Amino acid sequence: ETGVTQSPTHLIKTRGQQVTLRCSSQSGHNTVSWYQQALGQGPQFIFQYYREEENGRGNFPPRFSGLQFPNYSSELNVNALELDDSALYLCASSPFAGDDTGELFFGEGSRLTVL
Amino acid sequence: AQTVTQSQPEMSVQEAETVTLSCTYDTSESDYYLFWYKQPPSRQMILVIRQEAYKQQNATENRFSVNFQKAAKSFSLKISDSQLGDAAMYFCAYRSARSGGGADGLTFGKGTHLIIQP
């Protein structure tokens, strides 16, 4: 069983640029969510996708957007990067929306540095 | 909005001893899930243990157990017989159990850094 994989593992961007982070869900999982983890903080929920549609969103501005593809892989796009966007971005998948176990399966994250 | 508070930024324990990590939360909901996740230096978050709020019995998973006090909104994690591999950041997390509540995501605390002394 393949776990959640994310790419790239590290990247550096400059303020104002755009970035795309990618995630492959665990086999059999059709729900994916993204989290931002600033240094020394707990992860914060960005949004969740189910059946290629966003069905939940945290307190993040519209310049954070996403996609989910038919194979359940996903992208996180961030436009007009700001210094405060520097963080570890975690992707998590789960078997299906409303799964009562609530457990999420996380990838190892993409470390974004904005200069 | 729900909040999760972990008041211990760092804890240290001798190998083979027992340690308890604290977590409190605030919610107006009656049905929810609580989790403890472990994040080692590899960065991958791993579920340690989960608790359903409607269950009075405290969850246990091998050396890991919780003390769930619903009225006090407290959810502590006890690690028995600590091992070097337990060293990591530990995050307490909350999720609503209402229909569609999963779409609100998990609310995490700031974490506790657990150090295991050999």
Side-chain angles (χ1 to χ4, degrees):
Chain A
E1 186 175 76
T2 305
V4 178
T5 58
Q6 293 186 240
S7 63
T9 55
H10 297 82
L11 70 166
I12 300 173
K13 293 285 187 178
T14 56
R15 195 170 45 184
Q17 285 188 313
Q18 178 266 344
V19 68
T20 297
L21 308 178
R22 295 178 174 81
C23 172
S24 292
S25 300
Q26 183 162 319
S27 177
H29 290 185
N30 59 10
T31 300
V32 65
S33 51
W34 287 88
Y35 289 79
Q36 180 194 66
Q37 186 178 15
L39 196 62
Q41 302 294 316
Q44 285 196 297
F45 175 63
I46 302 175
F47 46 56
Q48 177 175 285
Y49 276 78
Y50 172 62
R51 291 186 174 178
E52 302 175 50
E53 290 194 4
E54 182 182 303
N55 72 338
R57 190 176 186 92
N59 188 27
F60 280 82
R63 59 189 186 84
F64 286 78
S65 63
L67 286 172
Q68 185 184 32
F69 300 99
N71 65 354
Y72 304 131
S73 64
S74 174
E75 287 182 356
L76 165 65
N77 298 288
V78 186
N79 294 321
L81 284 167
E82 301 176 359
L83 297 179
D84 285 349
D85 296 332
S86 295
L88 180 67
Y89 289 85
L90 297 169
C91 172
S93 70
S94 55
F96 48 88
D99 174 13
D100 284 340
T101 73
E103 179 180 359
L104 299 182
F105 296 80
F106 286 86
E108 294 187 359
S110 294
R111 171 76 66 190
L112 171 65
T113 301
V114 182
L115 302 177
Chain B
Q2 293 79 22
T3 59
V4 176
T5 301
Q6 293 179 249
S7 58
Q8 305 155 316
E10 186 174 279
M11 292 284 284
S12 181
V13 63
Q14 292 285 336
E15 194 176 2
E17 296 294 307
T18 295
V19 63
T20 298
L21 309 184
S22 301
C23 172
T24 59
Y25 58 94
D26 189 25
T27 183
S28 58
E29 298 183 324
S30 60
D31 201 12
Y32 46 87
Y33 303 104
L34 295 166
F35 308 88
W36 279 98
Y37 275 88
K38 169 185 178 181
Q39 187 178 41
S42 69
R43 312 185 313 199
Q44 187 171 25
M45 301 276 276
I46 303 166
L47 179 68
V48 174
I49 199 165
R50 63 185 286 272
Q51 175 81 40
E52 293 150 319
Y54 70 87
K55 291 185 176 178
Q56 292 188 339
Q57 186 172 7
N58 289 324
T60 61
E61 288 287 343
N62 300 314
R63 299 183 294 107
F64 300 87
S65 62
V66 299
N67 183 5
F68 173 49
Q69 302 288 329
K70 190 172 184 179
K73 296 180 181 175
S74 170
F75 182 61
S76 61
L77 173 69
K78 185 171 81 171
I79 305 174
S80 304
D81 185 25
S82 297
Q83 300 175 0
L84 294 177
D86 294 334
M89 286 293 295
Y90 285 81
F91 292 94
C92 179
Y94 169 103
R95 202 212 88 173
S96 171
R98 73 177 192 282
S99 178
D104 293 340
L106 295 179
T107 300
F108 285 87
K110 290 187 175 182
T112 296
H113 181 209
L114 179 63
I115 298 168
I116 310 295
Q117 305 278 6

